[in-house]
């Protein structure tokens, strides 16, 4: 399996990569990473640079051919699944759900209330709603926000908004954070590094699904 980290987890949210590797190693998954990993092309596509994106996709497609690909990023997952041809790709939330169901990862459920944010790419674009929730509920009690699943509020980061219109991105993030705080939970979980980056705030902790499992999964501290 090729673990495709994605730009955000590789460069800005590196703890997501570390947490993912930790979980894969504990589950006994045989995987590798590219030494010179390039962007999947998602940002180029979402911001209108279609010809440049096609060139990037063409270059990557030669490397990805015949591989089983795992992604940390919801945006990478959508791009690899919909904008490339004939790729076998899975998102980390889907793989973790499978590993828990077959017993390769085993957790003890805590009396801990957390809430979960559906990213646009993973959720309403690709209908991956149940798997991340199943993973969360293996460890903690899931308390849902007012807007969830296909009606989830966007975090505000995607489509180039965070770069071009940062004030709008901040306003959208504040709306979502307010809904998370209304649940009474102190931890907000998401399965998208880009969402995590934009939702981080001073009032409640925001964790990627992998980070959450590593922290609350009762792993041996020596590992």
């Amino acid at each position: 399996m090729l673990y495709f980290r994605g730009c955000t987890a590789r460069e800005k949210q590196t703890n997501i990569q570390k947490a993912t590797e930790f979980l894969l190693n504990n589950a006994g998954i045989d995987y590798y990473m590219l030494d010179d990993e390039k962007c999947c092309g998602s940002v180029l596509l979402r911001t209108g640079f279609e010809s440049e994106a096609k060139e990037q996709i063409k270059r990557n497609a030669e490397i990805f051919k015949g591989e089983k690909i795992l992604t940390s990023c919801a945006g990478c997952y959508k791009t690899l699944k919909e904008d490339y041809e004939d790729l076998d790709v899975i998102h980390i939330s889907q793989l973790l759900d499978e590993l828990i169901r077959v017993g390769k990862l085993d957790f003890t459920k805590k009396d801990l209330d957390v809430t979960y944010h559906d990213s646009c790419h993973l959720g309403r674009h690709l209908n991956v709603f149940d798997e991340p929730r199943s993973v969360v509920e293996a460890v903690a009690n899931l308390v849902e926000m007012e807007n969830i699943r296909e009606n989830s509020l966007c975090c505000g980061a995607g489509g180039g908004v965070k770069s071009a219109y940062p004030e709008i991105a901040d306003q959208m993030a504040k709306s979502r954070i307010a809904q998370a705080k209304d649940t009474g939970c102190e931890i907000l979980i998401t399965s998208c590094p880009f969402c995590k980056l934009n939702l981080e705030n001073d009032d409640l902790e925001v964790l990627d699904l992998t980070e959450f499992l590593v922290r609350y999964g009762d792993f041996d501290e020596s590992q």
Side-chain angles (χ1 to χ4, degrees):
M1 178 181 289
L2 168 60
Y3 170 35
F4 186 80
R5 294 160 285 176
C7 299
T8 306
R10 186 178 71 248
E11 298 181 6
K12 294 184 177 181
Q13 292 284 336
T14 56
N15 197 50
I16 293 176
Q17 174 189 330
K18 294 174 184 177
T20 301
E21 289 189 78
F22 181 89
L23 293 168
L24 294 176
N25 290 334
N26 268 273
I29 302 299
D30 185 16
Y31 70 97
Y32 76 101
M33 297 179 291
L34 297 173
D35 293 332
D36 189 26
E37 181 184 294
K38 304 297 185 183
C39 179
C40 68
S42 176
V43 175
L44 290 170
L45 282 170
R46 312 311 159 207
T47 53
F49 294 90
E50 187 173 350
S51 60
E52 291 87 347
K54 287 181 177 178
E55 286 299 316
Q56 184 70 11
I57 289 171
K58 183 178 179 181
R59 287 191 292 268
N60 282 336
E62 292 299 316
I63 300 170
F64 296 158
K65 190 178 297 182
E67 298 286 355
K68 172 83 171 183
I69 303 173
L70 169 70
T71 73
S72 281
C73 179
C76 292
Y77 178 61
K78 173 181 168 62
T79 301
L80 295 175
K81 194 171 184 66
E82 294 191 336
D83 299 296
Y84 287 68
E85 293 184 4
D86 302 322
L87 284 189
D88 184 6
V89 57
I90 187 171
H91 185 263
I92 185 62
S93 63
Q94 297 169 312
L95 179 61
L96 291 171
D97 181 47
E98 180 181 337
L99 293 174
I100 291 170
R101 284 190 287 105
V102 300
K104 289 193 174 182
L105 287 174
D106 185 32
F107 301 106
T108 301
K109 189 163 184 173
K110 312 287 190 304
D111 185 18
L112 173 68
D113 292 338
V114 302
T115 193
Y116 175 75
H117 166 72
D118 293 286
S119 74
C120 296
H121 285 153
L122 193 63
R124 59 175 150 264
H125 289 185
L126 292 171
N127 294 310
V128 179
F129 297 116
D130 296 331
E131 294 94 325
R133 284 175 167 78
S134 178
V135 173
V136 169
E137 290 179 324
V139 179
N141 304 314
L142 178 61
V143 182
E144 297 280 18
M145 286 181 270
E146 179 180 351
N147 292 88
I148 63 170
R149 300 176 75 91
E150 63 272 6
N151 294 317
S152 174
L153 298 185
C154 176
C155 77
V161 176
K162 187 170 179 63
S163 297
Y165 306 101
E167 68 286 352
I168 295 177
D170 288 343
Q171 290 171 10
M172 295 174 72
K174 287 177 181 177
S175 295
R176 192 55 166 161
I177 292 164
Q179 286 197 341
K181 290 169 64 177
D182 284 345
T183 66
C185 298
E186 295 183 357
I187 300 174
L188 170 59
I189 301 168
T190 184
S191 292
C192 175
F194 217 43
C195 290
K196 184 197 172 190
L197 190 64
N198 204 47
L199 290 171
E200 287 180 332
N201 65 95
D202 295 329
D203 295 324
L204 78 169
E205 188 169 25
V206 183
L207 294 173
D208 184 77
L209 183 62
T210 57
E211 297 173 314
F212 173 71
L213 290 184
V214 170
R215 180 178 300 184
Y216 294 98
D218 293 328
F219 289 102
D220 186 341
E221 292 184 1
S222 65
Q223 292 178 288

